[in-house]
Amino acid sequence: LEIDRGFNSYKLTSTQEFPPHPYGLIKSNAKCPYRNSGRLFRTPDYDPHTIKECFDICSAHPDCEYFTLGEGENLRNEWKGVCMGCVSTVTLDNDPGFNTYTTTP
């Protein structure tokens, strides 16, 4: 290592293992279907959720097996962070900017 003022060097002596995500990506650019009885919920526009929050909402619903999150950079602002939940037997709608996950990896 080079010596330089204002910098400290440290030796990494251990690493931490993080558990895997409790969810897995099913399909990118797809969402729980609109106007379908298999869609169980949808959060309001302009009320963004994180992927963990969306997973938690879906997990709290007894029939929810898939959840969709508005994550695309080019997605309309009101849809960023929108969370939807559905059963796994639905046919997902193709929709750029939305990604659908399963509640089990």
Side-chain angles (χ1 to χ4, degrees), residues 71-91:
E71 300 179 285
E73 291 180 21
N74 296 323
L75 200 60
R76 290 169 42 181
N77 284 334
E78 61 264 34
W79 294 341
K80 290 180 180 178
V82 163
C83 175
M84 299 170 230
C86 55
V87 297
S88 63
T89 55
V90 298
T91 300

Side-chain angles (χ1 to χ4, degrees), residues 5-55:
R5 275 190 267 175
F7 293 92
N8 296 320
S9 298
Y10 300 92
K11 180 179 180 180
L12 182 63
T13 58
S14 67
T15 60
Q16 179 180 358
E17 293 288 326
F18 291 97
H21 295 295
Y23 48 83
L25 180 67
I26 293 294
K27 189 173 181 185
S28 297
N29 297 312
K31 67 179 183 180
C32 293
Y34 181 62
R35 293 187 178 170
N36 183 294
S37 62
R39 184 194 277 187
L40 304 170
F41 66 87
R42 181 190 187 281
T43 60
D45 292 348
Y46 296 109
D47 183 21
H49 291 79
T50 66
I51 193 166
K52 173 70 167 84
E53 291 168 338
C54 193
F55 167 79

